[in-house]
């Protein structure tokens, strides 16, 4: 889950429209490798969740609130899903939630509950602007929008407290 390179003051070219065929084939091979890595990560996460659930079920001394326990398992699950490093697609989008749905389909992984909640708030806030009728990709470049979601996703995966997640679930009565 760590960045491949530390942040610094140098600018990074995120999109290059005049790539050569060699670079395109390298990107395709890298994407195929990433898909294999995602499948391996999903299998690992499934095994981790099963192990966690089994250990929690077998321990009679566990007096933890079931909601908090679910939030801990959820947070552990989200921490083990790798954030994609290769992002080469321009995703057209009308809204933040629409972009999130496209990202989930493209990268075949869920986004954190708190990320989805924040994107919903951003869509609601857009309704109060003059540009609310414009598609999101006409207001902000699609690469910047996608990068923003991944940065927020990384923050939520790495820093969200299970207590906070459980509190938000309770507020929305997601889990009873």
């Amino acid at each position: 889950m760590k960045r491949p390179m530390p942040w610094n003051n140098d600018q990074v070219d995120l999109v290059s429209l005049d790539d050569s065929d060699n670079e395109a084939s390298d990107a395709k091979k890298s994407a195929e490798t990433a898909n294999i890595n995602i499948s391996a990560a999903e299998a690992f996460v499934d095994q981790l969740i099963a192990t966690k659930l089994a250990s929690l079920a077998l321990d009679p001394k566990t007096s933890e609130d079931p909601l908090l326990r679910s939030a801990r398992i959820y947070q552990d699950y989200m921490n083990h899903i790798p954030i994609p490093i290769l992002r080469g697609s321009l995703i057209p989008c009308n809204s933040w939630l629409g972009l999130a749905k496209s990202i989930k389909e493209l990268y075949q992984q869920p986004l954190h509950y708190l990320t989805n909640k924040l994107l919903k708030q951003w869509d609601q806030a857009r309704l109060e602007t003059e540009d609310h009728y414009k598609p999101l990709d006409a207001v902000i470049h699609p690469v910047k929008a996608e990068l923003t979601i991944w940065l927020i996703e990384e923050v939520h995966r790495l820093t969200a407290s299970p207590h906070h997640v459980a509190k938000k679930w309770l507020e929305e009565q997601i889990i009873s």
Side-chain angles (χ1 to χ4, degrees):
M1 294 290 285
K2 292 187 179 184
R3 270 185 210 87
M5 295 174 37
W7 291 104
N8 57 23
N9 291 336
D10 296 337
Q11 290 188 348
V12 178
D13 183 19
L14 295 177
V15 177
S16 178
L17 298 177
D18 50 328
D19 291 335
S20 69
D21 289 337
N22 260 349
E23 291 173 353
S25 66
D26 289 345
K28 186 174 181 179
K29 289 177 187 175
S30 298
E32 290 169 358
T33 304
N35 286 339
I36 292 169
N37 291 341
I38 289 172
S39 298
E42 287 173 348
F44 172 75
V45 169
D46 289 341
Q47 181 183 15
L48 177 71
I49 289 175
T51 305
K52 277 273 196 193
L53 288 173
S55 69
L56 289 173
L58 295 175
D59 187 7
K61 298 176 186 173
T62 303
S63 61
E64 188 175 39
D65 176 34
L67 182 63
L68 182 57
R69 185 173 14 166
S70 296
R72 284 187 199 283
I73 292 170
Y74 176 77
Q75 195 63 26
D76 283 344
Y77 168 74
M78 293 306 291
N79 279 332
H80 285 90
I81 300 173
I83 291 181
I85 295 171
L86 299 172
R87 296 183 287 267
S89 302
L90 289 178
I91 304 172
C93 54
N94 291 324
S95 66
W96 286 104
L97 287 175
L99 177 59
K101 181 179 178 185
S102 297
I103 286 173
K104 290 175 202 175
E105 290 173 6
L106 181 64
Y107 297 105
Q108 299 176 348
Q109 64 171 271
L111 292 177
H112 198 280
Y113 167 75
L114 296 175
T115 302
N116 285 309
K117 189 173 171 85
L118 181 62
L119 296 176
K120 185 177 181 180
Q121 290 173 352
W122 286 356
D123 274 344
Q124 290 171 349
R126 273 192 73 214
L127 293 176
E128 300 169 6
T129 67
E130 295 175 4
D131 294 335
H132 71 277
Y133 62 91
K134 291 184 183 177
L136 181 63
D137 57 7
V139 178
I140 183 171
H141 194 279
V143 172
K144 286 182 181 180
E146 182 183 354
L147 182 59
T148 300
I149 289 177
W150 284 120
L151 291 172
I152 296 297
E153 180 68 12
E154 184 175 21
V155 168
H156 286 146
R157 287 184 186 182
L158 296 177
T159 65
S161 158
H163 293 278
H164 181 70
V165 172
K167 178 183 165 188
K168 292 297 180 185
W169 284 348
L170 194 58
E171 286 174 3
E172 291 197 14
Q173 299 178 351
I174 289 181
I175 298 178
S176 52

